[in-house]
Amino acid sequence: MVLVMENEKYDQIIGNSAAPNINSMADAYLRATSSYARGHNSLPNYLEMISGRACEPSGTTNDCTPSSCGPIAGTEIADQLDAAGISWKAFMGAMPSDCDTSNAGGSGGYGVRHNPFVYFSQGRTSPECENDVPSTGLLAALNSPTPPDFVFYSPSICDDGGYDAPCSTMASADRFLEKRVPAIMATSWYRDGGTIILTWDESATSDTSGSHGDNGGHVLTVVISARTKGDPRYDGYVDSAGILRTVEHAYSLSYLGTAANPDSGSLPLGTSGG
């Protein structure tokens, strides 16, 4: 599972008294200390995490809507998973219906810029559209007899901590994760060897740090699983495409776009057992 939060600098989270639960997870599981976003704004990082392309050809640097900058041509990870016969679902917080392309629910609701799948033409049609669903069904799906192998999860704006609405703060994100992550960890999907890659899409706007063309700033990424509990911090460089590279490697898929570049890095998925 790739669980994506919003718009926080690494140093704004680590050591912040408003985020005790996030800090506890970062201490208990494998923390990537050199994780960087591809760019600003949010959307290019989401696109990079599923296709290896952000502001490269056919991508965008803007938080545009699918009607204004889509459809984007090309392959993304859902296409790879479908071709390999690997099940998947994308869960979107506050999304009113499958593969919605609007910004629904007001400023604290569903932000389509956090749902990269619908920017691709295949993400708006069956069968892929039927796998891009509201997050209200997440826990039931993970506890079903046939849970999805791969999960992409974008919480609602009120829950993602990105300050895009008055309800969206560091403290609210911490409270959300305090309840949601343990609930995910209690599912049969997680108990059967699930891994949660908790990451932030981009850093604060003022932070343009990064290497190899990345300028989205320093973000927090934590790999949560029975295998990473107690693992030391990971200091290797990893960016938005490196998260895609990690997932593709885990499922023996080819690397898309910039995920093919070793400079994007990848995340270790655990050594300690559990």
Side-chain angles (χ1 to χ4, degrees), residues 175-198:
R175 289 191 298 269
F176 169 76
L177 291 173
E178 182 181 20
K179 295 180 179 179
R180 201 59 160 172
V181 171
I184 293 170
M185 294 172 74
T187 64
S188 56
W189 171 87
Y190 181 85
R191 295 197 309 270
D192 194 34
T195 296
I196 305 165
I197 299 175
L198 171 64

Side-chain angles (χ1 to χ4, degrees), residues 21-272:
N21 178 66
I22 297 172
N23 277 269
S24 178
M25 289 188 292
D27 289 339
Y29 296 93
L30 188 144
R31 183 201 313 179
T33 61
S34 298
S35 182
Y36 289 84
R38 177 66 180 88
H40 299 293
N41 297 312
S42 290
L43 178 58
N45 299 295
Y46 284 85
L47 294 173
E48 187 104 337
M49 278 188 265
I50 71 163
S51 72
R53 290 175 294 137
C55 50
E56 294 81 14
S58 297
T60 176
T61 59
N62 300 314
D63 280 342
C64 48
T65 61
S67 61
S68 62
C69 64
I72 295 172
T75 302
E76 34 91 351
I77 192 169
D79 305 317
Q80 293 181 295
L81 294 168
D82 286 339
I86 298 168
S87 62
W88 67 277
K89 275 193 180 294
F91 293 92
M92 302 294 154
M95 186 170 67
S97 59
D98 294 359
C99 64
D100 193 285
T101 59
S102 67
N103 287 304
S107 64
Y110 165 63
V112 69
R113 63 191 178 277
H114 303 158
N115 182 0
F117 298 93
V118 296
Y119 287 81
F120 294 82
S121 56
Q122 61 268 35
R124 306 183 202 180
T125 57
S126 179
E128 189 168 315
C129 176
E130 296 162 11
N131 284 333
D132 189 342
V133 300
S135 65
T136 49
L138 173 68
L139 297 179
L142 297 183
N143 274 315
S144 72
T146 55
D149 291 304
F150 174 69
V151 175
F152 192 97
Y153 181 19
S154 294
S156 71
I157 291 171
C158 269
D159 293 328
D160 66 23
Y163 294 93
D164 286 336
C167 59
S168 185
T169 65
M170 177 84 73
S172 66
D174 192 75
R175 289 191 298 269
F176 169 76
L177 291 173
E178 182 181 20
K179 295 180 179 179
R180 201 59 160 172
V181 171
I184 293 170
M185 294 172 74
T187 64
S188 56
W189 171 87
Y190 181 85
R191 295 197 309 270
D192 194 34
T195 296
I196 305 165
I197 299 175
L198 171 64
T199 193
W200 273 251
D201 72 324
E202 61 175 315
S203 184
T205 305
S206 59
D207 180 8
T208 57
S209 60
S211 301
H212 319 300
D214 297 324
N215 61 9
H218 192 194
V219 297
L220 176 64
T221 298
V222 183
V223 182
I224 302 169
S225 76
R227 297 177 302 282
T228 63
K229 189 171 185 179
D231 273 4
R233 297 175 186 175
Y234 176 65
D235 298 327
Y237 191 91
V238 63
D239 62 15
S240 305
I243 291 176
L244 174 61
R245 183 182 176 92
T246 301
V247 174
E248 289 173 322
H249 179 75
Y251 291 108
S252 300
L253 303 172
S254 59
Y255 298 135
L256 294 174
T258 52
N261 186 344
D263 288 341
S264 289
S266 62
L267 293 164
L269 296 182
T271 59
S272 62

